[in-house]
Structures are given as structure tokens and as C-alpha cells.
Amino acid sequence: MRIDVRDYVDLQRYPIDQVGTAAYAELVAAMRSQLAGDGCAVVRSFIRTDRIGELVAEADRVASKGHCSFNETNVYFTQDKPELPESHPLRRFYERSNAFVPADNFGPESILRAVYEWPPFVAFVKAALNEDKFFRYADPLADVIINVVEEGNGFPWHFDTNNYTVTLAIQNGEEGGEFEYSPNLRSSDDEHYSAVGDVLDGDEGSVKTLCLEAGDLQLFKGRYSLHRVKPVSGQKKRYVGIFSFVEEPGMVGSPERTRQLYGRVLPIHLERADVRADELID
Ligand SMILES: O=C(O)CCC(=O)C(=O)O
Ligand SMILES: [Fe+2]
């Protein structure tokens, strides 16, 4: 069955296929103003409420394909610096675990992929983010994925290493899973370590909480805003779709990162990295 994205996106409320209309311009302007304000913009019920069940069913079908990876990380994803005091944010490590369902589980029958590849969707996100160079990721394991979060897990405080993320809430856990962020806590020329330390110590003064519901689309600029996903509790899994976009066409992930996040690599990762497969066998 061919998927028509028009049946899933709430185009009555968000006419993202109507470029050039006043409604489109207003929507893009609203997104840009939210992003300029605190780096976060949300399109509530972007996916029609009456169709979200189909997306949940799709996630349920592939959830067991999630590759679990665990590591200990500081908020910068950098190495420990033993010469600094233990309380320094660079030295504070938290357990991170995630289960990414690789993109090759989302084939032509996938609603998530149909949305990701729908030209009006790509154009809308590009316009909202006000990016010049904006392409779908060419990585067959990572272009569109689902992050499956189970009981007890979340995503500890961190700054993103990419400029923005584009995510779709598909299902919440029974409890927890709130998205918390401290807007612009650091800047390109000042790490504001003491303010970062305050948030890590539990000071919620600068922290905003966002409760996303199934079907909400979120654009988030996380490079300067410290953020986390609070641990989920209950039997129900939290599902979030992650759409990746990059600045150059044809990009794929490095073999090391791909193996860590997805548990395997494809020939394209090795070719691009100019590494022979036999060199990687460990
Ligand atoms: O799962 C989410 O809602 C976002 C997680 C996050 O911050 C990230 O992937 O960088
Ligand atoms: Fe993040």
C-alpha cells in the first residue's frame, strides 16, 4: 500500500504544502521566532491524532530491532580531565543508554520514512530552521530512526554536538520522559561552567520543562542549551522518531560512530571512510 503523507500530517492546521500562502509564511515565522527565543520550536499534533496509532504500531513492530548502547558521558561527550577538580562539569559523568532502531528497518511501507522523504516536509523544516545548506542524510542506517527508551532510562544532561535536531514524539512512557532544557546556558565563546554546574547540582532556576505528546514535532537547537530527557517509568516504551538533516549532500556517519550506535556498519560507511573491512575486524 502506498503511503500518502497528506493523510497523516495535519495539513488543515499546518498547510506545509502551501508554500507562498500567508498561512505558510505565518507558520514559518512562528517557528523562527520560537527558535530565536529559546532554541526550541514545537508543532503540536503535527501528525493527526486519529492517525498516530498507525505510527505507534509501526514503532511496536520494529522496537525489538533497537541496538542498545551504554556509555558514561559528561555533558560535552569528551574525555575525563583528571587535572581538574572532581566537581568540574567536565569531570561529571552520567550513564547514557539508548536503543536506536536503525534506518534500514524503515522501508517503503514506513509512515515515518514517508514523512521524512516528503519534499514539502523537508522544505518546511529547512525554512523553519532558516538553513541555507540543508539535505537529507544519505546514511542508510541513520537517516530516519526511532529511539526506544525503556523503564529507568532517559538521556542525561548534555549539549548536542550538532546544530539542531528534528524529532517526532510517537509514544510517551507511563511516567517521566519530560524534556528539560536550560536555554542558551553557554555560548560560542563562554562555557559558563559554573552555571552548568548549578544545573547538574539540581538548580532548576533556568530550566524549562516541555511535555511532548504523541504527534508533536520538535525542532531544537541544542548546541548551547543544556538539556535532558528525564527517566521513563512504567511498562510502556517511549518512542521518538529522529529525522537527520545535514549541510552537504551524500554524507554518511563514520564507521566507529555507526558501529557504536547501530551495532554494525554497511559497505558505504567503509568506502566513504576509505577503510577496508578487514582492518576493522576486532
Ligand atoms: O529523545 C529526545 O527527545 C531527544 C534526545 C536528545 O537530546 C538527543 O538525541 O540529542
Ligand atoms: Fe540532545
Side-chain angles (χ1 to χ4, degrees):
M1 193 192 69
R2 225 187 111 256
I3 291 158
D4 191 344
V5 179
R6 291 170 193 278
D7 296 335
Y8 292 89
V9 173
D10 190 344
L11 294 173
Q12 296 289 327
R13 200 164 160 199
Y14 307 115
I16 64 167
D17 57 339
Q18 307 284 312
V19 182
T21 62
Y24 187 92
E26 258 170 47
L27 181 57
V28 169
M31 298 293 284
R32 287 187 184 176
S33 122
Q34 290 178 53
L35 286 165
D38 69 1
C40 183
V42 178
V43 187
R44 294 282 178 189
S45 292
F46 179 71
I47 299 296
R48 284 167 40 180
T49 313
D50 60 328
R51 305 307 292 262
I52 196 76
E54 292 165 64
L55 213 49
V56 173
E58 176 172 320
D60 279 337
R61 280 198 296 276
V62 296
S64 65
K65 304 278 173 55
H67 173 72
C68 298
S69 59
F70 298 91
N71 55 1
E72 293 244 311
T73 173
N74 63 15
V75 306
Y76 311 99
F77 302 106
T78 56
Q79 301 291 317
D80 192 18
K81 283 214 161 47
E83 66 276 18
L84 294 173
E86 269 176 33
S87 60
H88 194 286
L90 278 160
R91 302 215 57 199
R92 296 170 69 163
F93 284 76
Y94 302 93
E95 250 178 47
R96 171 187 166 182
S97 64
N98 55 251
F100 283 166
V101 178
D104 57 356
N105 291 284
F106 304 95
E109 73 301 330
S110 159
I111 302 160
L112 198 64
R113 177 168 295 284
V115 172
Y116 177 63
E117 294 188 353
W118 195 42
F121 176 69
V122 180
F124 167 67
V125 175
K126 176 177 192 241
L129 288 167
N130 205 4
E131 290 285 329
D132 275 347
K133 296 164 79 192
F134 190 82
F135 302 90
R136 282 196 278 111
Y137 205 18
D139 192 317
L141 289 182
D143 59 352
V144 55
I145 63 166
I146 286 180
N147 186 19
V148 180
V149 179
E150 300 205 46
E151 169 127 57
N153 295 331
F155 199 148
W157 289 112
H158 65 285
F159 292 105
D160 289 345
T161 51
N162 41 334
N163 285 331
Y164 49 79
T165 45
V166 182
T167 51
L168 180 69
I170 297 174
Q171 175 171 277
N172 281 337
E174 267 141 54
E175 292 204 47
E178 298 90 347
F179 185 82
E180 291 192 327
Y181 64 113
S182 175
N184 298 315
L185 194 62
R186 69 169 178 176
S187 64
S188 58
D189 56 10
D190 192 339
E191 288 290 346
H192 291 281
Y193 285 127
S194 129
V196 173
D198 289 346
V199 175
L200 299 181
D201 285 338
D203 178 353
E204 297 259 315
S206 66
V207 174
K208 292 188 173 185
T209 301
L210 186 61
C211 296
L212 292 168
E213 300 298 335
D216 293 352
L217 177 73
Q218 180 190 26
L219 310 189
F220 184 67
K221 294 194 170 179
R223 192 187 278 281
Y224 302 115
S225 298
L226 192 68
H227 58 285
R228 71 165 168 183
V229 177
K230 288 177 90 172
V232 167
S233 58
Q235 287 307 298
K236 225 162 91 189
K237 299 176 174 78
R238 174 182 186 265
Y239 295 137
V240 169
I242 304 178
F243 304 112
S244 287
F245 297 96
V246 289
E247 287 182 359
E248 303 292 338
M251 281 175 68
V252 305
S254 72
E256 297 74 25
R257 183 110 180 105
T258 303
R259 196 182 289 280
Q260 183 200 353
L261 293 177
Y262 303 101
R264 58 198 160 94
V265 296
L266 298 176
I268 191 170
H269 298 106
L270 303 172
E271 281 157 24
R272 292 293 172 80
D274 206 21
V275 175
R276 294 205 334 270
D278 54 352
E279 289 174 40
L280 271 184
I281 293 169
D282 37 342

